[in-house]
Amino acid sequence: MNRKWLISIILSVIIAIAGASGVFYIQDIMPTKLTEASALVQTGNDQSVEKPVTKEQEEIIKETQKRVVQITKSDGEQGSGFLYNDKGDVLTNAHVVANTEEVTITTADSKEVTGKVIGISTTTDVAVVRVPALEDAEPLPLERKNKAGMLDKVLALGSPLGLQNTVMTGEITGLDREFDIAPFEYRGLYQISAPIQPGNSGGPLVDAETGKVIGINSAKLDKEAIGFSIPIPDIINLVERWSENPMKSLPEIQDTVGGPGEGYNVTPIDQATYIVEYFYESINQGDFVTAYSLIGSSWQGNNSYESFRKGYSNTLSVKIDDLIPKQAGKNVEVTAFITAEETVGGEVKLKKYKLVYTVGLENDQLKILAGKGEEISS
């Protein structure tokens, strides 16, 4: 069987599950760290033990997040995008804004403004949305000419599952990937290890060293930690033509697999496992403010931010060995088995923990409501 044809079939099935605004499904990993102070456990991703990001990367993340937006259609479907020029133009995926003229743009500081689609392709999964309220704002720097290389460190930003300002770290793990998902043709893609979720579509893939946007996050390989991103050099001429000469009328986008307007099929278990993963990714990045914001008010009431952060002072990194979610009434119980790299008496040791988290809604926001854990071996 033709390899490209087989890959196309597999990914078409994935999109049917993920839906029009999805990135393409994930449910594999999660983070956690056990201490007396926090009773949480800590982790990064399921591929390797990662060190916290450097100070320079923290600055890159901070500056990039300001220019990444959430895009919402009138039917509630969501995706991501980022400001790429000083005209207020936001670059995103075509499938995020397909068959609509106006969308709601939510900025990093939670302001909602209106955007108008001024360019969209029926074959390449890219589009441009003009946002007058963002005119003259400083855009993200783009890598317009040079392609990324194997194992380059990257940051994937966006709003997976509606969680704005989410950042995931990873590497370029493949080059020149290609497949077709009607009606779009994907060519020369970056394959990335950064975990992404439905809602990441259209968000920027950023070089972790230069801070330049090198791609548009566009697809996810079902339950594997494999994503795909469209390189900026391949589409920059196309999108800049739209910015110079906006389309007078927009083409209708042929229905993708699964039909129009279905949205992505995300279950409470998917959301719960992802928020635990996001928690640990934040810890590994040294972003304790975000991690602390993901736990419920009752837990926060018994654990100040200072004691929460102190509880991770001896933790270098965390790797999730296994993650087992199950429905527990209105909530989801997530059992995580992790390996933590910790400093003990001046020595670096690996410790294994079993943690059980209760994830549920608090004031209509998903939170880690409770957790308990135990060390299972050293």
Side-chain angles (χ1 to χ4, degrees):
M1 179 179 292
N2 183 278
R3 181 179 176 84
K4 294 181 182 178
W5 185 62
L6 177 60
I7 293 176
S8 179
I9 292 176
I10 293 172
L11 288 168
S12 295
V13 173
I14 293 169
I15 295 187
I17 297 173
S21 292
V23 161
F24 313 156
Y25 233 64
I26 171 178
Q27 182 185 326
D28 297 314
I29 43 184
M30 297 286 142
T32 16
K33 137 99 184 153
L34 179 63
T35 68
E36 292 183 2
S38 68
L40 282 175
V41 179
Q42 151 182 356
T43 169
N45 60 47
D46 62 348
Q47 293 191 354
S48 62
V49 176
E50 294 192 6
K51 304 298 182 184
V53 296
T54 64
K55 187 66 176 180
E56 291 79 7
Q57 287 179 354
E58 289 180 4
E59 187 63 26
I60 288 173
I61 290 171
K62 180 180 178 181
E63 292 302 311
T64 303
Q65 285 177 322
K66 296 177 183 178
R67 300 163 180 85
V68 178
V69 301
Q70 180 173 294
I71 301 174
T72 307
K73 294 169 62 174
S74 59
D75 60 8
E77 290 181 356
Q78 293 181 339
S80 302
F82 57 94
L83 189 64
Y84 95 95
N85 66 18
D86 59 6
K87 296 180 179 181
D89 292 345
V90 167
L91 187 53
T92 186
N93 283 134
H95 75 259
V96 170
V97 295
N99 302 319
T100 188
E101 293 186 1
E102 288 191 349
V103 292
T104 297
I105 301 293
T106 305
T107 60
D109 56 359
S110 300
K111 293 180 181 178
E112 291 189 354
V113 294
T114 299
K116 180 179 180 181
V117 180
I118 63 169
I120 190 168
S121 173
T122 58
T123 55
T124 302
D125 195 6
V126 295
V128 173
V129 179
R130 178 153 292 173
V131 187
L134 299 181
E135 186 176 0
D136 294 328
E138 184 179 354
L140 285 177
L142 306 183
E143 180 51 74
R144 297 168 177 265
K145 296 181 179 180
N146 299 320
K147 292 287 191 73
M150 284 290 292
L151 301 183
D152 283 0
K153 302 294 184 183
V154 295
L155 306 168
L157 292 89
S159 300
L161 306 178
L163 294 171
Q164 270 195 284
N165 296 321
T166 297
V167 183
M168 290 295 183
T169 60
E171 297 177 337
I172 300 288
T173 56
L175 301 172
D176 297 322
R177 302 306 193 214
E178 60 180 74
F179 47 81
D180 293 341
I181 304 173
F184 303 113
E185 299 174 355
Y186 297 86
R187 299 289 183 267
L189 302 180
Y190 297 136
Q191 178 179 304
I192 61 176
S193 64
I196 55 177
Q197 270 278 14
N200 268 115
S201 283
L205 183 71
V206 176
D207 186 301
E209 294 185 357
T210 67
K212 290 184 177 181
V213 179
I214 61 173
I216 308 171
N217 300 320
S218 304
K220 177 73 174 73
L221 184 59
D222 197 18
K223 297 184 179 182
E224 302 298 324
I226 298 176
F228 299 95
S229 183
I230 301 172
I232 292 296
D234 292 349
I235 51 84
I236 188 61
N237 290 336
L238 175 64
V239 300
E240 286 188 330
R241 286 201 298 270
W242 292 329
S243 292
E244 292 297 326
N245 299 289
M247 287 183 168
K248 295 182 179 179
S249 62
L250 302 177
E252 181 178 351
I253 303 297
Q254 174 187 334
D255 295 344
T256 56
V257 176
E262 287 189 1
Y264 43 78
N265 180 23
V266 179
T267 68
I269 284 180
D270 298 330
Q271 294 175 317
T273 51
Y274 185 75
I275 200 170
V276 176
E277 178 186 23
Y278 185 30
F279 171 85
Y280 282 110
E281 181 74 10
S282 299
I283 292 293
N284 270 354
Q285 291 177 11
D287 184 2
F288 298 102
V289 173
T290 294
Y292 189 69
S293 72
L294 296 176
I295 67 176
S297 59
S298 177
W299 200 335
Q300 289 182 349
N302 295 322
N303 185 20
S304 69
Y305 172 74
E306 289 73 19
S307 62
F308 171 81
R309 179 164 183 167
K310 184 178 180 180
Y312 290 93
S313 60
N314 295 325
T315 301
L316 302 177
S317 61
V318 179
K319 174 182 178 292
I320 298 175
D321 300 316
D322 197 9
L323 194 69
I324 305 173
K326 69 176 182 179
Q327 198 73 39
K330 293 182 179 180
N331 299 323
V332 175
E333 182 180 278
V334 180
T335 300
F337 294 88
I338 68 164
T339 300
E341 185 181 19
E342 302 177 352
T343 55
V344 180
E347 297 182 1
V348 176
K349 294 186 177 181
L350 295 179
K351 293 188 176 183
K352 292 185 178 292
Y353 296 97
K354 174 186 176 182
L355 302 118
V356 181
Y357 295 102
T358 300
V359 180
L361 291 175
E362 180 180 275
N363 297 324
D364 295 325
Q365 290 189 330
L366 201 63
K367 297 284 185 178
I368 303 174
L369 302 176
K372 59 183 179 179
E374 59 180 335
E375 184 178 346
I376 54 178
S377 68
S378 298

